Amino acid sequence: MLAGKLSPVYFFHGPESYLKEEFTALIRTAAFPSEEEAACNTHVIYGPDITPGDLVARASEYPMFSPKQLIIVRQFEKIKKPPSKDLQKQHDLKLAGYMNNPAEFTILVLDADQLEKKDAEKKPFSTLKPFRHDFPLIKTPDLFATQRAREAGWEFEPDALKAFTAYIQPSSREICQEIEKMITYASSRSGEKNITAADVYECVGISKTYNVFELEKAVAARNLRLSSGISLMIMDREGQKEGLGNIVRYLTTFFIRVWKLSQPEVRGMAQSDMAKLLGMYGKQEYFVKNYLAYTRSFSPSQTSQALLALKDTDASLKGLLPYGDEKFLLLRLMQQLIG
């Protein structure tokens, strides 16, 4: 995106605000020789405060203190509409004209949240297609976390990566902030720069005993008492409804993976292909062997019944099915999964 010469216009589109802020900072650094010059010639404005015509006028004004200026428009998806259709057309034409011949002394960064597809095809957004860069939600947080740790010179151990990606919100902001926290914590140790499971437990706030990984093992061992006990402790720590919701999401992924690996056509695959099928990337491939062992604990019919029970529990939590309280819901679920 920043290879070679800076572009006069960047249209950043999507929900990953942290990554957009990161790229904007890189553009700012590349555009100005010093922080003082950057501070004097960086202007942040907001979409609801300007029309497309206002934006063109601002971008066309020569900077006062430097050969170049940076204009950042936040909430560009909410850019102010002129009061009439005729004026809207005029403003859209002005913006299109500017995009065909942008000012050499201005860098425009237009930052928009996720647009509906039909809206993205309308003006003024359709005019910006040549300058558009998408920042969709992080779909593979394990790969993203691994890459970010490596950029800082650190590596996740397999158990640590599994713990981290199970408990962290899959957003670039939270992933990057938590990695920075863990590296700061782990830097006090001498030796290899590895992020361990203990680092994750300490920094992300996960109990070493009562967590979804221990729950996974208890469920796979079909130990109803231990599974129920661990689940209740998770709910006490994380909140009854939120904790149960996290348990349901994790165990749904668990049983979907068990179901996929129980299919005859999958059993003949290479382990790396199995990992991709299960949505496990990088060092998470290490845990495919665990799931292969788990398939021996559940017949295909038991796996299907478990997924139905999880679906019903999720529907109850969302208010679609009646239930008494979360503890009753949890204990009934464990009985359906294991009993």
Side-chain angles (χ1 to χ4, degrees):
M1 189 184 298
L2 296 180
K5 187 179 177 182
L6 285 171
S7 170
V9 181
Y10 294 89
F11 176 32
F12 292 167
H13 168 254
E16 281 294 348
S17 59
Y18 182 86
L19 294 180
K20 291 188 288 183
E21 290 165 13
E22 213 174 40
F23 275 106
T24 301
L26 290 173
I27 291 167
R28 191 173 186 264
T29 300
F32 302 105
S34 68
E35 176 55 33
E36 292 77 11
E37 194 167 323
C40 291
N41 293 282
T42 300
H43 311 285
V44 179
I45 52 183
Y46 291 85
D49 298 331
I50 57 163
T51 62
D54 295 334
L55 177 59
V56 170
R58 290 285 298 269
S60 301
E61 292 177 359
Y62 282 95
M64 294 182 65
F65 308 108
S66 171
K68 199 171 284 291
Q69 65 179 340
L70 172 63
I71 298 177
I72 302 165
V73 184
R74 306 284 190 206
Q75 299 177 349
F76 185 72
E77 76 280 5
K78 298 178 181 177
I79 191 164
K80 188 176 180 181
K81 291 184 179 180
S84 70
K85 287 187 177 180
D86 286 342
L87 278 175
Q88 177 75 56
K89 189 173 182 181
Q90 291 175 28
H91 281 244
D92 288 341
L93 286 171
K94 280 184 184 178
L95 185 63
Y98 182 88
M99 293 303 155
N100 286 330
N101 187 26
E104 295 181 358
F105 47 79
T106 297
I107 299 173
L108 269 181
V109 175
L110 310 174
D111 183 346
D113 205 347
Q114 188 70 42
L115 291 162
E116 294 289 337
K117 190 173 181 181
K118 58 182 176 61
D119 293 328
E121 296 300 322
K122 296 176 183 176
K123 293 179 179 179
F125 310 111
S126 60
T127 304
L128 300 167
K129 276 187 179 180
F131 307 103
R132 177 170 157 172
H133 303 277
D134 287 333
F135 291 83
L137 290 171
I138 303 296
K139 292 183 179 177
T140 52
D142 49 350
L143 286 182
F144 182 79
T146 299
Q147 177 189 345
R148 282 305 173 113
R150 282 178 181 166
E151 287 172 2
W154 288 72
E155 286 283 343
F156 275 96
E157 292 184 356
D159 283 341
L161 184 61
K162 184 179 183 183
F164 184 71
T165 54
Y167 272 92
I168 207 74
Q169 291 295 320
S171 78
S172 58
R173 187 180 303 279
E174 186 160 353
I175 290 170
C176 292
Q177 288 174 347
E178 291 296 332
I179 286 176
E180 185 177 350
K181 189 195 301 181
M182 287 187 298
I183 288 174
T184 301
Y185 175 81
S187 293
S188 60
R189 292 196 308 266
S190 58
E192 294 183 2
K193 292 185 174 183
N194 286 340
I195 297 171
T196 68
D199 297 331
V200 177
Y201 294 144
E202 290 294 335
C203 296
V204 181
I206 305 171
S207 166
K208 294 179 184 179
T209 307
Y210 303 110
N211 58 64
V212 289
F213 318 113
E214 296 305 315
L215 175 59
E216 174 185 292
K217 294 174 189 174
V219 170
R222 303 187 67 83
N223 187 324
L224 179 58
R225 183 176 179 180
L226 184 57
S227 298
S228 300
I230 291 172
S231 297
L232 290 169
M233 291 299 293
I234 291 172
M235 289 168 63
D236 284 342
R237 189 183 67 246
E238 298 181 9
Q240 297 296 298
K241 194 166 187 178
E242 185 175 347
L244 181 53
N246 290 336
I247 289 167
V248 169
R249 282 190 290 276
Y250 190 86
L251 290 181
T252 298
T253 299
F254 171 84
F255 278 103
I256 287 173
R257 286 172 172 170
V258 169
W259 179 80
K260 285 181 177 179
L261 286 180
S262 68
Q263 306 306 304
E265 63 272 20
V266 175
R267 302 296 293 225
M269 288 182 174
Q271 186 166 306
S272 58
D273 293 329
M274 288 181 182
K276 289 176 185 176
L277 179 69
L278 300 183
M280 302 170 77
Y281 300 95
K283 290 191 175 183
Q284 283 202 332
E285 184 182 323
Y286 174 85
F287 294 102
V288 171
K289 59 181 177 59
N290 290 13
Y291 280 94
L292 286 169
Y294 295 157
T295 59
R296 295 194 287 270
S297 298
F298 301 93
S299 68
S301 63
Q302 287 172 327
T303 304
S304 297
Q305 289 169 8
L307 287 169
L308 285 172
L310 287 159
K311 182 181 177 183
D312 287 345
T313 305
D314 182 59
S316 295
L317 286 174
K318 291 175 178 175
L320 302 176
L321 292 174
Y323 69 96
D325 59 49
E326 285 79 16
K327 286 187 177 180
F328 168 78
L329 201 57
L330 178 279
L331 295 173
R332 186 181 69 181
L333 174 64
M334 288 299 147
Q335 185 69 43
Q336 291 170 323
L337 297 181
I338 300 167

